[in-house]
Amino acid sequence: MAEYMSKDTICIQSGYKPGNGEPRNMPIVQSTTFKYSDSDAMGRLFDLEDSGYFYTRLANPTNDNVAKKICELEGGYAAMLTSSGQAANFFAVFNICECGGHVVMCSPIYGGTFNLVSTTMKKMGVECTIVSPDDDEDTLNAAFKDNTKCVLAESIANPNCSVLDFEKFAKVAHEHGVPLIVDNTFPTPINCNPIKWGADIVTHSTTKYMDGHGLGVGGAIVDSGNFDWDKYADKFPGLTTPDESYHGIIYTQKFGKAAYITKATSQLMRDFGAIQAPQNAFYLNIGLETLHLRMPKHVSNAVKVAEFLASNPKVAWVNYPGLKGDKYYERGQKYMPNGTCGVLAFGMKGGREASKAVMGNLQLACIVTHVADARTCVLHPASHTHRQMTDEQLIAAGILPEFIRLSVGIEDADDIIADLKQAIDKI
Ligand SMILES: *Cc1c(COP(=O)(O)O)cnc(C)c1O
């Protein structure tokens, strides 16, 4: 339970709480190790008998403070930081889906996640079946197998901006006895709480809006504590049978609702070591302190920019769930009534070359491999993130050759629009 009801207050006050005479700002605990005077006391930490810090690869107080804030913002039960969004999604899935398991993955999805699950995890013996956010229940049901361990989806997909039908996906996942994992990077917990709509586990690339200033790569995993692992004990032996690397403890028995995050920390973080640097967690916390101010501005700017683009005769199409008439507008209104995010996609009528020319003409907006930042930026997937694909493959992946991903920042909306206008007028 969050101590504060309002997300605005959680952004500012949650996480680190100073005692008398302690620093008001959250200290960066820049230490790999923690001191004990009693050998047995440290031994009990190694056995998970006591909780406490002993080595930063497993846990660090600065990181835990920031994870607590993100946990409260998402309405979760337990959370952890990871070194990147990639590590967050990998741990979130691998914690319950090992060799021999199967993932139902909703795509369009972030390209890094697509590669992780469909190529790298495949080499680890994990299969996946791709479904579409628009599939009906029968089609979704048909994607499940006996060895399915989870459903993975994004609340707003990067880069095509489709909005997840949370209730439909949660329902089918739960009917098959598996959790729904949602990457909530784009709307952030300010605009959407997937747990409220049935998601069991939420992941983030904190690199994006949460940091907000392009300072540090990072990730987070939040567990709702709602999924009943013991009810489907045979599907999730990693949580419900003894862990030999901890003298046979059973996570669900010993840690209850904290079982999933405890296993991810004490086993995956121990063994893979994808910990976020405490220094980066400190930067992330500064970002979180203004997340509730930045998100509404990203949204209001993006709505104005989307309306401008949609009314420009040289623009072929605009994808933005906050734009009236968009395919995902109603779903966006339902799950994100305060707005979706600042990212949108559009294409020029002149195709690939016209889109590239417009990008080259931009002055305020920069071309960067980044998104969801305070500064307006653009990326052309066909030339950048999806460069290895042919036009046919791009179209099959739902990314047209003229597709521009525009991440609307928190500058003045009129200045952003003026920049786009002069760039488009020149072609
Ligand atoms: C960027 C991104 C990721 C990967 O995060 P990194 O912090 O770059 O590792 C995962 N999911 C989404 C939706 C993203 O936008």
Side-chain angles (χ1 to χ4, degrees), residues 96-168:
I96 47 173
C97 182
E98 302 177 357
C99 181
H102 171 255
V103 179
V104 173
M105 179 164 70
C106 183
S107 184
I109 196 161
Y110 176 65
T113 308
F114 190 89
N115 287 337
L116 167 69
V117 177
S118 68
T119 307
T120 299
M121 292 191 75
K122 189 174 171 189
K123 293 179 193 163
M124 304 170 92
V126 174
E127 292 177 284
C128 97
T129 300
I130 309 287
V131 296
S132 149
D134 302 321
D135 281 345
D136 60 23
E137 266 183 56
D138 288 344
T139 315
L140 292 177
N141 282 325
F144 286 80
K145 304 182 181 194
D146 289 344
N147 59 342
T148 304
K149 307 291 181 180
C150 64
V151 177
L152 177 64
E154 285 173 359
S155 44
I156 300 178
N158 178 2
N160 90 324
C161 299
S162 54
V163 177
L164 186 70
D165 188 335
F166 290 88
E167 290 159 297
K168 182 170 73 182

Side-chain angles (χ1 to χ4, degrees), residues 82-89 109-113 154-159 183-186 203-208 216-219 369-372 405:
T82 57
S83 57
S84 66
Q86 286 300 108
N89 281 320
I109 196 161
Y110 176 65
T113 308
E154 285 173 359
S155 44
I156 300 178
N158 178 2
D183 180 332
N184 196 34
T185 298
F186 271 15
T203 60
H204 282 279
S205 166
T206 62
T207 317
K208 314 296 167 52
V217 172
T369 307
H370 188 40
V371 67
R405 185 181 72 187

Side-chain angles (χ1 to χ4, degrees), residues 2-12 14 72-73 292:
E3 197 173 334
Y4 306 108
M5 295 310 286
S6 160
K7 288 179 187 171
D8 294 19
T9 310
I10 294 172
C11 279
I12 301 285
S14 279
E72 289 191 16
L73 284 171
H292 61 300

Side-chain angles (χ1 to χ4, degrees), residues 29-37 42 45 52-57 59-62:
V29 179
Q30 192 68 58
S31 183
T32 58
T33 45
F34 300 82
K35 179 223 157 201
Y36 290 89
S37 42
M42 190 147 88
L45 301 180
Y53 299 101
F54 55 97
Y55 192 54
T56 285
R57 170 151 46 74
N60 174 283
T62 306

